[in-house]
């Protein structure tokens, strides 16, 4: 029955995508592509699911940071066989989730990073498991209450306990003791109080998405988030999210730094 329902849902989503393509509704197409990818994922179709996630990302949804974050996260979880590539995708997903303060998504990404790194860095994976469980507990959502996620988490923990033996508990406890920001920085392989300097030799268009570059340019003109939202016909919350994500990507602390950086790039 469940498989039949997934098959019908996939068929309906395919038809909807065709309609949205015909009428030129790219926003609804992005949402529907993502839902179709999820259906393929839940159906165990791990050939078509990644293709759909990539199609969704290729549309570069400008105002849908969470959709982009989820696509990257699922691609990493589906595991391409390239551990470093999967880890980078999950880290980028975590950055996006952090920029919009998605607490639940942050916990999932940290946990997923443990699954990805369990094979080549078990001590780090154990710490990530501990950090993820603390994030879930902070929200009052025990990881054991999420059956699908908990199964992967338990499988990872079992493997790590077998690999690390008595040292597992110490690594796990260290991760569990981290506060949220420190846990995120650890997951992103950053030192707790150090941020890498932005690469000033690169163009803003190399570091930012097209929409983020638009927002950065408007910030450099002194526009507020409210003004940016009106100009780009987006919500103020979305404008705020874009600005926060730009600050995170460039390791800046203020809008003035964005403006200075844009000005310097234009002079070159």
């Amino acid at each position: 029955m469940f498989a039949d329902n997934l098959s019908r849902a996939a068929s309906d989503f395919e038809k909807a995508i065709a309609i949205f393509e015909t009428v030129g509704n790219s926003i609804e197409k992005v949402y529907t592509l993502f839902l179709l990818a999820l259906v393929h994922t839940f159906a165990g179709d791990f050939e078509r699911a990644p293709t759909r996630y990539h199609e969704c990302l290729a549309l570069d949804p400008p105002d849908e940071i969470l959709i982009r974050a989820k696509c990257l996260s699922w691609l990493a979880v589906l595991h391409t066989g390239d551990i470093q590539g999967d880890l980078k995708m999950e880290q980028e997903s975590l950055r996006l989730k952090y920029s919009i303060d998605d607490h639940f998504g942050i916990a999932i990404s940290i946990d997923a990073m443990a699954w990805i790194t369990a094979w080549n860095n078990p001590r780090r994976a154990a710490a990530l498991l501990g950090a993820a469980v603390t994030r879930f507990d902070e929200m009052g959502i025990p990881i054991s209450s999420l059956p699908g996620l908990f199964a992967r988490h338990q499988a990872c923990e079992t493997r790590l306990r077998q690999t690390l033996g008595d040292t597992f508990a110490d690594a796990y406890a260290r991760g569990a003791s981290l506060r949220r920001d420190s846990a995120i920085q650890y997951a992103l392989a950053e030192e707790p109080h150090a941020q890498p300097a932005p690469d000033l030799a690169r163009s803003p268009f190399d570091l930012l998405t097209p929409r983020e570059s638009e927002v950065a340019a408007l910030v450099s003109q002194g526009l507020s988030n409210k003004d940016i939202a009106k100009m780009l016909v987006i919500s103020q919350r979305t404008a705020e999210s874009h600005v926060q994500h730009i600050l995170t990507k460039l390791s800046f602390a203020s809008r003035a730094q964005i403006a200075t950086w844009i000005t310097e790039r234009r002079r070159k």
Side-chain angles (χ1 to χ4, degrees):
M1 180 65 72
F2 183 62
D4 290 340
N5 288 338
L6 288 176
S7 180
R8 283 195 293 271
S11 178
D12 289 343
F13 286 143
E14 292 278 9
K15 293 174 184 176
I17 289 169
I19 293 172
F20 294 138
E21 286 178 343
T22 300
V23 300
N25 191 330
S26 59
I27 297 299
E28 292 300 332
K29 181 182 176 182
V30 166
Y31 275 113
T32 310
L33 270 172
F34 175 68
L35 292 174
L36 178 58
L38 280 181
V39 167
H40 289 323
T41 301
F42 296 148
D45 188 344
F46 300 143
E47 290 188 6
R48 285 193 288 183
T51 298
R52 291 306 191 179
Y53 287 123
H54 281 300
E55 288 178 5
C56 189
L57 289 172
L59 291 175
D60 193 21
D63 303 324
E64 303 304 331
I65 293 176
L66 189 56
I67 291 292
R68 180 172 180 81
K70 288 181 179 294
C71 284
L72 288 168
S73 185
W74 274 110
L75 281 169
V77 169
L78 289 174
H79 190 49
T80 64
D82 174 9
I83 292 177
Q84 289 305 313
D86 293 339
L87 182 59
K88 286 181 180 179
M89 281 194 292
E90 197 62 68
Q91 287 177 323
E92 177 60 17
S93 175
L94 177 57
R95 290 188 183 94
L96 291 169
K97 292 169 180 176
Y98 188 35
S99 75
I100 57 176
D101 213 24
D102 175 17
H103 293 269
F104 187 72
I106 286 169
I108 290 177
S109 280
I110 294 175
D111 206 55
M113 284 184 205
W115 314 340
I116 294 168
T117 57
W119 298 92
N120 66 339
N121 198 337
R123 286 190 63 81
R124 179 174 175 78
L128 289 169
L129 278 186
V133 168
T134 296
R135 306 286 77 76
F136 282 113
D137 288 346
E138 286 174 343
M139 293 182 288
I141 306 174
I143 195 169
S144 58
S145 68
L146 306 166
L149 182 64
F150 188 49
R152 295 288 296 270
H153 179 93
Q154 273 193 313
C156 181
E157 181 175 334
T158 298
R159 174 180 176 79
L160 291 173
R161 285 185 181 278
Q162 292 172 345
T163 302
L164 296 173
D166 294 340
T167 63
F168 170 84
D170 180 61
Y172 183 94
R174 286 179 181 273
S177 69
L178 293 174
R179 294 189 176 183
R180 193 186 74 148
D181 286 355
S182 294
I184 290 170
Q185 289 167 341
Y186 179 75
L188 295 175
E190 298 169 356
E191 293 300 323
H193 302 293
Q195 293 287 343
D199 184 355
L200 297 179
R202 298 174 66 189
S203 161
F205 294 97
D206 292 331
L207 292 174
L208 308 178
T209 67
R211 177 49 64 98
E212 288 165 356
S213 295
E214 281 186 276
V215 173
L218 294 174
V219 169
S220 73
Q221 296 173 26
L223 272 66
S224 66
N225 290 337
K226 184 176 181 179
D227 292 334
I228 292 172
K230 287 182 179 179
M231 182 163 290
L232 298 181
V233 194
I234 58 178
S235 70
Q236 186 170 336
R237 173 61 188 273
T238 297
E240 292 169 356
S241 295
H242 281 309
V243 172
Q244 184 57 52
H245 191 214
I246 292 166
L247 290 169
T248 299
K249 273 192 173 182
L250 302 181
S251 300
F252 287 159
S254 69
R255 299 168 75 92
Q257 287 177 288
I258 296 176
T260 300
W261 189 65
I262 290 291
T263 301
E264 289 176 353
R265 296 309 93 219
R266 286 172 174 167
R267 289 174 180 169
K268 293 187 176 182

